[in-house]
Amino acid sequence: MRPCSASGAADPRALIALLAVCGALGPVATNLFLPALPLIREQFAVTVAATQTTVSSFLVAYAFATLFTGPIAERFGRRPTILSGAAIFTMGSALCALASSLPALIAGRVVQALGAAATLTGSRTVVADVFSDQMLPRMIATLTMTMVIATVLTPWAGGYIAAAFGWKAGFWMLLLAGTLLLVVALRRLPETRPGAGAGHRIVAILLRSRRALAEREFVVTLCQASAIYAIFLVLIAYAPYLMRDVYGGALADVGRYYILMSLGYFVGNWLISRGRIKADVRKVLRIALLIQLLGALASLAVALAPPGRPIWLFAPLLPMAFGQGLALPHLSARAVSPAPGFAGLASSLLGFAQQATAAAAVQGMGFARTDTAVPVMLFCVAVSGLAMLALLFTPRSRAARLA
């Protein structure tokens, strides 16, 4: 581990726990909110596509914000970036909780996204600052695994909260969470940025961005990571409609199946974080992406059959998520490791690619039918197949350097 510049980071476990909370703000803000989407559609008397705008607007704002938060973290420091993000997120949560119309809710979601983007970019950058290349995939997996615990529980809790107290209650909880994070970060978060200088000028950062995007392996990595993230986001955004329109279930039931999907993702991350996977990185990615594709194909087969119990559709998503949990830490480490001293920039490009792709996918799927699971499972199969094909464009030399 590389030392950082504050005593508050003396305990790596405490630092990882704090960074996990910073990185989890965006996923938690989305997952806690998703089970309430049918209620929002009913209250404002709008279409599914219009309701999905509350999700896609968050993702679009999140995506574009990451393009700026990385360079800001390089130029002004990790700590100010994360603290400002937590404050903005808290303000956005208050706007959502007080919203009386769909446009007002969308505006609040955009503000939320701006803050969450800063905390996520900042947390990834601190990890890249502090941990060596050999430990980086394991620490990213640990960070993600800790985040998954929260994101697994929030959809389950969100269904019950929305059913019992209405869709605004979740935003009041997010306001409280953002406030608590801000207080703790003020006391415990260190500054880990390498020494400032000419390399941290905005022009130099932008030139580095152009060079990174000219590297084929970096672009392929962004595409694969974005594909995995888009599949996961589409599934959790689509699940409430499937539960209600196909299976006639209650909103609270959705959380159980979120837990099932996230369990597979958690186990995959756990194996990486513990160093249990010793194979060559290229081989790990090939196996992980194949598992993702097979899981999607199995769920598509169920979707094409007459509707039965929802467990038959969601059960194959557990191994699919397991493959995602194996692949994503290595892809994230591959994205940020080529940019020593510019980890914030690499994190920005990764975050933008993931969020922009997911936003387009979620909004596009908002026009698909919700009385059958076939469209969403066709999407998962197609995107999983593209992620597999992308392996053909990754040079073996790059995989060897990461092994």
Side-chain angles (χ1 to χ4, degrees):
M1 188 179 80
R2 296 188 288 268
C4 50
S5 60
S7 60
D11 184 355
R13 291 172 298 181
L15 178 61
I16 285 293
L18 177 58
L19 295 177
V21 176
C22 292
L25 281 187
V28 168
T30 298
N31 295 349
L32 189 70
F33 164 70
L34 287 175
L37 286 175
L39 296 180
I40 294 171
R41 178 181 62 175
E42 292 171 1
Q43 175 165 340
F44 296 121
V46 293
T47 64
V48 171
T51 307
Q52 292 293 88
T53 307
T54 60
V55 180
S56 59
S57 62
F58 181 97
L59 296 175
V60 169
Y62 200 114
F64 282 99
T66 57
L67 288 178
F68 298 96
T69 53
I72 287 171
E74 302 289 12
R75 184 68 181 88
F76 299 104
R78 310 344 184 180
R79 179 180 161 87
T81 301
I82 292 176
L83 293 177
S84 299
I88 293 170
F89 177 86
T90 302
M91 182 174 64
S93 298
L95 292 174
C96 291
L98 297 172
S100 58
S101 65
L102 187 62
L105 177 59
I106 292 171
R109 291 285 288 166
V110 169
V111 176
Q112 262 193 330
L114 299 179
T119 59
L120 176 65
T121 302
S123 65
R124 282 177 175 169
T125 306
V126 171
V127 172
D129 288 342
V130 174
F131 295 98
S132 64
D133 290 343
Q134 292 77 16
M135 288 292 294
L136 190 54
R138 293 180 60 181
M139 291 301 103
I140 288 177
T142 302
L143 186 69
T144 307
M145 185 175 64
T146 309
M147 291 166 54
V148 166
I149 296 174
T151 55
V152 165
L153 296 177
T154 47
W156 173 77
Y160 285 102
I161 291 169
F165 304 106
W167 62 266
K168 289 189 176 184
F171 290 113
W172 290 114
M173 295 184 65
L174 292 172
L175 186 153
L176 177 61
T179 302
L180 291 175
L181 172 61
L182 184 59
V183 171
V184 174
L186 280 168
R187 294 172 55 87
R188 300 292 183 183
L189 183 68
E191 177 57 71
T192 63
R193 179 182 58 158
H200 290 92
R201 293 173 183 166
I202 296 297
V203 173
I205 294 170
L206 294 177
L207 289 175
R208 177 65 183 179
S209 174
R210 183 178 178 181
R211 290 197 298 271
L213 291 174
E215 297 181 11
R216 186 178 68 180
E217 58 268 24
F218 183 73
V219 174
V220 170
T221 297
L222 295 189
C223 291
Q224 290 174 316
S226 300
I228 290 175
Y229 191 70
I231 290 171
F232 192 76
L233 257 291
V234 164
L235 282 172
I236 63 176
Y238 216 82
Y241 300 109
L242 293 180
M243 186 59 60
R244 172 171 287 193
D245 298 346
V246 177
Y247 298 106
L251 289 177
D253 295 333
V254 179
R256 302 172 192 170
Y257 298 102
Y258 283 153
I259 291 175
L260 185 66
M261 288 186 290
S262 298
L263 178 62
Y265 192 86
F266 180 89
V267 173
N269 272 263
W270 182 83
L271 290 174
I272 299 298
S273 71
R274 297 298 180 181
R276 301 297 177 90
I277 307 296
K278 303 295 185 182
D280 174 82
V281 171
R282 185 180 177 89
K283 183 177 181 180
V284 172
L285 289 176
R286 184 168 61 248
I287 293 172
L289 294 175
L290 178 60
I291 293 172
Q292 175 182 253
L293 177 58
L294 293 175
L297 285 168
S299 284
L300 175 60
V302 174
L304 290 169
R309 298 179 60 189
I311 185 64
W312 298 113
L313 177 69
F314 286 96
L317 299 181
L318 190 151
M320 187 187 79
F322 172 72
Q324 294 177 327
L326 287 179
L328 201 53
H330 283 298
L331 292 170
S332 298
R334 175 182 286 185
V336 300
S337 61
F342 289 88
L345 168 64
S347 181
S348 277
L349 295 174
L350 175 63
F352 174 78
Q354 287 181 306
Q355 299 300 328
T357 303
V362 168
Q363 190 61 44
M365 290 303 297
F367 294 96
R369 292 171 57 185
T370 60
D371 58 348
T372 172
V374 172
V376 68
M377 296 321 307
L378 281 173
F379 169 84
C380 293
V381 169
V383 177
S384 296
L386 290 174
M388 279 288 294
L389 288 175
L391 284 174
L392 300 176
F393 299 93
T394 305
R396 290 186 176 273
S397 59
R398 175 63 178 154
R401 293 201 301 272
L402 290 165

